[in-house]
Amino acid sequence: MVGNDVVDLREANKTSNWQHPRFKSKLFTELEQELINNSDNPFVMIWRLWSMKEAAYKLFTQNNGGRFFNPKGFECALENTFGTVKFKNFKCFVESKVTSNFIISEAKTIQENFKSKIVSLSSNSPKLQSKELKQNLFEHMANTINKNAKLQLTYTRFGVPLLEVEGELHHISLTHHGRFGAFAIA
């Protein structure tokens, strides 16, 4: 299983209230707030931690189902591009890639190679972005396995996407924000 999340840094800077004093205290633990406050670039650190939490949340819900909002319950620890996120008795490994345009984080229960494929999106509409991202996923799979393979997205009762390839289900994670999207196949 895999979870991922992408943050378009330009979009986050334009539309978020990340500098408001209560923003950090609502979303981040005291340890994470220390990481942010001691960072050379607090803006990037905030969005890296957020993308780690979101990726871990997606992975957690694949294993445990049910949607909920508890960002402070997911606590991040960092070591270079790698980190861990813990939530109660759940722990996962998260790798983040930071560019000048976006941050992407990918969560897995074991440390594996980075799988997310980044996509530049042409639409500003979240609904159209989602459609465009899914189309890119299908094109990638068609080019990777078989151009004539029957591909279909299905969803668990908790709304977690699965990719059906010739009747076989594969765990995936989809994310988009601003100008970027990404998909990962477990």
Side-chain angles (χ1 to χ4, degrees):
M1 293 188 212
V2 63
N4 69 354
D5 188 65
V6 68
V7 174
D8 179 335
L9 293 173
R10 184 173 75 187
E11 184 73 15
N13 193 38
K14 184 171 67 174
T15 61
S16 72
N17 199 9
W18 71 275
Q19 291 179 310
H20 191 279
R22 292 192 324 178
F23 184 89
K24 287 189 291 189
S25 65
K26 286 177 115 179
L27 302 176
F28 301 102
T29 66
E30 287 185 25
L31 175 67
E32 293 166 338
Q33 289 179 56
E34 282 182 42
L35 289 170
I36 294 165
N37 294 336
N38 295 329
S39 171
D40 291 338
N41 190 335
F43 172 74
V44 169
M45 182 59 71
I46 280 175
W47 295 110
R48 178 179 177 195
L49 293 173
W50 179 256
S51 72
M52 290 174 66
K53 288 173 180 277
E54 283 287 308
Y57 169 80
K58 288 178 181 180
L59 182 62
F60 179 83
T61 57
Q62 287 177 24
N63 285 321
N64 300 286
R67 292 183 180 216
F68 58 94
F69 184 77
N70 185 4
K72 285 178 85 168
F74 288 81
E75 186 168 64
C76 303
L78 298 176
E79 187 175 316
N80 299 321
T81 62
F82 294 94
T84 57
V85 178
K86 293 180 183 176
F87 177 74
K88 298 181 181 178
N89 62 350
F90 170 80
K91 178 183 175 182
C92 64
F93 300 95
V94 182
E95 183 177 1
S96 298
K97 294 186 179 189
V98 179
T99 73
S100 59
N101 293 310
F102 62 83
I103 298 172
I104 183 160
S105 293
E106 187 176 282
K108 296 168 273 222
T109 54
I110 59 173
Q111 288 185 310
E112 299 179 285
N113 291 337
F114 197 79
K115 297 178 181 198
S116 291
K117 305 287 185 219
I118 307 298
V119 176
S120 291
L121 300 171
S122 59
S123 175
N124 292 330
S125 159
K127 189 173 185 175
L128 293 175
Q129 288 175 335
S130 180
K131 184 177 179 180
E132 188 177 348
L133 180 61
K134 291 170 186 173
Q135 183 62 39
N136 274 272
L137 169 65
F138 287 156
E139 289 171 9
H140 171 79
M141 289 304 293
N143 291 331
T144 302
I145 54 168
N146 177 349
K147 291 214 182 278
N148 298 317
K150 184 179 178 200
L151 304 171
Q152 180 179 339
L153 275 182
T154 61
Y155 296 87
T156 68
R157 64 186 173 113
F158 301 112
V160 176
L162 297 167
L163 178 63
E164 186 176 341
V165 181
E166 298 292 331
E168 186 178 326
L169 293 176
H170 299 270
H171 288 275
I172 61 170
S173 185
L174 302 167
T175 180
H176 58 86
H177 181 244
R179 301 164 293 157
F180 302 100
F183 59 84
I185 306 161

